[in-house]
Amino acid sequence: MDKTDPDYVPLDFGAARQRMVDAQIRPAQVSNPHVIAAMRALPRELAVPEALRAFAYADQNLPLGEGRYLTEPRVTGRMLQVAEPVRGERVLVVGAGTGYLAALLATMGEALEVTALESERRLADIGRALCFTWAPGVYWRDGALVHGAPDDGPYDLIMIDGAVRAVPPAVLGQLTQDGRVIAPVCADSGVTSVSRIVCTAQGSAVQPLFDVAVPLLPELEPAPAFVF
């Protein structure tokens, strides 16, 4: 509705945020009090372009342009739950987009050191603005997602905010010895599952945790194989 219309009523984002937590997050087996508190407090509407703010608390992936999406709240909450961040850990968010996941991590009360890596300047500008007010401790880095952010590593926890076919080797190489990656991984079967990935002597081990409908990150899609 046009804001100049005399019948215009501003959206109550605060109430919508509480409904999101009560109707979407908590029923999705998210019980970590730090996750719940952060999602109740952080204004998700500031993580989307102004034209999409009315949909900020809908239970869906929101298109941000350039093939990128803001992951639906339920999935974000469950990813944070299974990530089990520990106080003082160093965390990297790959594909940080408009900063919502990175800001949640930084406001969870666990004194995490959070680095947000993003390659799309338009999205990163939104994320920087969100974090400037709500999560000023987040370090923002511009660069190709496939390379990670080695200057701020190694990391105890790496989260990828978008689906991938596989975690790029350079990103895996930035884990601490006992570190883990939490990411939606799209298997050859076409099923995407948020998974826990750790490094082993044989390479890496992928443990699927729960299935999701999360779009692939275009930048991390493997190049198509050449066929004669």
Side-chain angles (χ1 to χ4, degrees):
M1 182 179 290
D2 188 339
K3 293 182 180 180
T4 62
D5 190 310
D7 295 325
Y8 171 74
V9 178
L11 291 171
D12 187 341
F13 289 118
R17 193 177 313 123
Q18 306 314 311
R19 287 195 299 271
M20 175 193 74
V21 172
D22 293 332
Q24 300 175 38
I25 308 305
R26 293 177 67 90
Q29 304 173 17
V30 178
S31 57
N32 184 315
H34 300 294
V35 176
I36 295 294
M39 297 190 81
R40 284 198 186 280
L42 190 68
R44 182 177 164 90
E45 68 273 14
L46 299 184
V48 297
E50 188 170 1
L52 289 175
R53 287 183 179 176
F55 306 99
Y57 295 98
D59 192 14
Q60 64 186 65
N61 302 305
L62 291 180
L64 300 173
E66 290 87 34
R68 300 291 296 277
Y69 291 82
L70 178 65
T71 303
E72 65 175 290
R74 177 182 59 84
V75 174
T76 298
R78 291 193 71 185
M79 286 181 65
L80 288 168
Q81 172 102 356
V82 301
E84 299 180 328
V86 175
R87 184 175 181 82
E89 285 191 320
R90 187 171 293 173
V91 185
L92 172 65
V93 179
V94 175
T98 54
Y100 184 63
L101 177 58
L104 285 171
L105 283 159
T107 56
M108 282 176 56
E110 296 292 350
L112 303 172
E113 296 182 29
V114 182
T115 296
L117 173 65
E118 181 48 54
S119 58
E120 292 285 350
R121 177 59 62 86
R122 182 180 63 84
L123 302 183
D125 285 347
I126 296 173
R128 282 185 165 94
L130 170 67
C131 290
F132 180 80
T133 301
W134 292 90
V138 173
Y139 302 100
W140 278 86
R141 297 292 181 259
D142 301 314
L145 307 185
V146 70
H147 299 315
D151 291 347
D152 298 320
Y155 304 97
D156 305 290
L157 169 62
I158 297 175
M159 300 188 73
I160 302 181
D161 200 2
V164 295
R165 301 286 183 187
V167 179
V171 173
L172 275 174
Q174 291 163 31
L175 282 174
T176 60
Q177 182 176 354
D178 298 319
R180 70 277 188 205
V181 176
I182 300 295
V185 177
C186 184
D188 293 339
S189 64
V191 176
T192 300
S193 302
V194 167
S195 303
R196 179 186 177 98
I197 303 100
V198 297
C199 294
T200 69
Q202 293 73 38
S204 61
V206 180
Q207 177 189 10
L209 302 173
F210 59 93
D211 295 345
V212 292
V214 174
L216 287 162
L217 278 169
E219 189 177 330
L220 296 185
E221 281 239 54
F226 182 75
V227 178
F228 290 96

